[in-house]
Amino acid sequence: MCRFLVYKGKDEILLSKLILDPTHSILTQSYDSRLRLDHRRPHNGDGFGVGYYTSPLLGPEPCIFTSTIPAWNCINLERLASKTTSSLVFAHVRATTEGNLSDSNCHPFRYRSLMFMHNGGIGGWKHVKRRLASSLGDAWFINVQGSTDSEWAFALFLDSMDRMGHSPDKEPGEGGFGHTVLRKAILKTIERINTLIAEIPEDVRTEDSRSLLNFAVTDGHSVVCTRYVSSCTDEAASLFFSSGTSWKEQKHSKACEEGEKDYKMERRDKGSDIVLVASEPLTFERDNWVTVPTNSTLTIYKQTVMIHPIVDEFYSPNPAHSRSAKFAQTKGQTITGPDKTVISQPVTRENSGAASPSCVVAKEKLEAAMSRLRAE
């Protein structure tokens, strides 16, 4: 299961302060992932990628650096990160689930000013891939260079934007496409993936068709992330965010005494000059990090963080609705609760993945509400 990181700040930051230096940096997570249980593939060592936006004078497209070398063993990553600054950064370390080991399969992916990455997997992929590809417009079909389900999901996102009347080929304007457009397009992408999976014939459905879809997309101005699982009863893969006024190295911490660098998100006022989103926290300061709710979007617009529920057939309006950690654990992923403690549950009939009564009721209510809206 991959790990990713998003940084959006009012000011530029040296990449090494995110990627290399923190005690539990994303480079450290490539070989020491604390929220990963997959002992068959214990490392995120199947390549990495860093994407960042530069001066507007150089154009709106992000710079992408990828490599199939494990992040912990790439001297060029250290050289780049120690001399590069940006106010919007995507970073990703990969553990392959689909696609071979190649630069074209490393995240993040780019199309013009748009950048995209994924942690998880599309359920029933071998039964979905051909129909997903056939549903795309030619421009987005031929743009796919690699073989991962993640890049095909990005193509589906681009196609969804295009169908909404916001062509990724057009210049988006001074403020980008806007966070609303990005969020609607990512929701449409998830909806189309779910529809394709639902259409898999029962007689060929030989594998688990649940999807883990933690997406991150940006146009260089706004960022939209999702934490999502196509299940009523399961938790999604972990996702956290942290916001504050400064990301500072702690000079007199225990980590410093041991030769490591310890960072902390500081908040001196109500503003959020810095927002971080990560599959795993970069620090062990629990108060620094907030768990993104399962089946939600997280939007960063002008340093404001907004969280919205994803209301579909897997949504439950019941705030006490419980979900199981079992499915994510089978994918090598631990799950944490609101207090950041690891949740570990034995699988039972109630949490095995079958649709719960509350989920069925929620789905019926959702369908009734949508019918009323269409009638009006």
Side-chain angles (χ1 to χ4, degrees):
M1 189 67 69
C2 308
R3 312 275 83 181
F4 70 55
L5 163 72
V6 175
Y7 168 88
K8 189 174 187 297
K10 281 188 176 180
D11 300 314
E12 295 187 347
I13 191 172
L14 191 67
L15 266 58
S16 60
K17 292 183 178 181
L18 301 171
I19 298 171
L20 306 179
D21 296 345
T23 307
H24 198 53
S25 68
I26 195 165
L27 182 144
T28 302
Q29 291 175 31
S30 66
Y31 62 84
D32 181 19
S33 178
R34 301 295 176 90
L35 297 186
R36 193 159 175 247
L37 294 174
D38 193 346
H39 300 296
R40 298 162 301 169
R41 303 182 67 85
H43 300 135
N44 296 293
D46 297 325
F48 68 89
V50 180
Y52 54 92
Y53 290 84
T54 56
S55 166
L57 296 175
L58 301 177
E61 298 85 2
C63 177
I64 305 284
F65 172 61
T66 60
S67 175
T68 56
I69 298 173
W72 68 78
N73 203 32
C74 183
I75 186 64
N76 286 328
L77 176 61
E78 295 187 26
R79 291 168 176 165
L80 175 80
S82 63
K83 296 295 181 181
T84 303
T85 62
S86 178
S87 60
L88 208 172
V89 181
F90 275 20
H92 187 280
V93 289
R94 183 171 181 242
T96 58
T97 53
E98 298 290 345
N100 56 14
L101 189 64
S102 69
D103 278 316
S104 59
N105 284 334
C106 291
H107 310 221
F109 304 105
R110 181 190 76 179
Y111 186 83
R112 291 184 173 266
S113 63
L114 293 162
M115 188 161 56
F116 179 97
M117 57 186 176
H118 174 208
N119 171 26
I122 296 176
W125 175 239
K126 66 182 180 182
H127 300 297
V128 166
K129 182 177 179 180
R130 181 179 62 80
R131 288 180 293 116
L132 187 156
S134 299
S135 73
L136 300 175
D138 288 346
W140 319 122
F141 177 85
I142 63 177
N143 187 61
V144 176
Q145 304 296 313
S147 56
T148 66
D149 55 345
S150 302
E151 190 179 7
W152 283 105
F154 182 36
L156 196 65
F157 170 82
L158 297 172
D159 187 78
S160 297
M161 275 190 68
D162 197 14
R163 294 187 185 194
M164 290 166 48
H166 301 278
S167 173
D169 277 320
K170 293 181 179 178
E171 291 296 331
E174 190 172 321
F177 291 98
H179 63 93
T180 301
V181 170
L182 297 182
R183 189 166 66 88
K184 287 182 177 179
I186 208 75
L187 291 176
K188 189 63 179 179
T189 302
I190 291 173
E191 179 187 329
R192 291 173 68 180
I193 289 171
N194 287 341
T195 298
L196 289 165
I197 293 172
E199 292 172 351
I200 300 174
E202 289 294 337
D203 59 336
V204 300
R205 196 186 290 245
T206 58
E207 60 189 57
D208 200 321
S209 59
R210 289 172 288 181
S211 299
L212 290 169
L213 304 177
N214 284 16
F215 292 141
V217 65
T218 182
D219 58 0
H221 299 273
S222 303
V223 177
V224 176
C225 302
T226 62
R227 183 186 180 209
Y228 185 85
V229 58
S230 58
S231 167
C232 294
T233 56
D234 295 296
E235 282 284 1
S238 59
L239 193 67
F240 305 86
F241 79 93
S242 180
S243 61
T245 51
S246 61
W247 176 246
K248 293 194 68 174
E249 181 182 350
Q250 304 303 295
K251 297 292 186 180
H252 304 290
S253 68
K254 183 178 180 181
C256 293
E257 295 173 3
E258 296 173 354
E260 300 175 338
K261 293 184 179 180
D262 195 16
Y263 280 76
K264 183 178 181 180
M265 184 71 77
E266 295 185 344
R267 180 179 288 276
R268 296 180 180 176
D269 53 46
K270 293 182 179 179
S272 294
D273 296 338
I274 295 170
V275 180
L276 291 173
V277 184
S279 302
E280 289 191 29
L282 304 189
T283 71
F284 299 117
E285 293 280 346
R286 288 190 175 186
D287 292 342
N288 270 190
W289 298 91
V290 179
T291 302
V292 178
T294 284
N295 286 19
S296 299
T297 61
L298 179 148
T299 303
I300 309 171
Y301 172 64
K302 292 185 176 179
Q303 305 309 117
T304 298
V305 176
M306 298 171 281
I307 295 179
H308 300 88
I310 298 176
V311 182
D312 61 7
E313 65 266 37
F314 304 113
Y315 168 74
S316 173
N318 179 8
H321 177 67
S322 61
R323 289 176 176 268
S324 168
K326 187 64 178 179
F327 174 56
Q329 288 174 350
T330 64
K331 299 295 182 180
Q333 180 83 43
T334 54
I335 295 299
T336 58
D339 61 351
K340 270 73 84 181
T341 56
V342 174
I343 298 171
S344 181
Q345 301 170 248
V347 65
T348 66
R349 177 173 292 185
E350 286 73 25
N351 64 24
S352 63
S356 66
S358 61
C359 184
V360 173
V361 171
K363 182 177 179 180
E364 291 173 350
K365 288 182 178 179
L366 177 62
E367 290 173 347
M370 293 176 69
S371 297
R372 288 196 298 271
L373 288 172
R374 284 193 290 266
E376 293 171 359

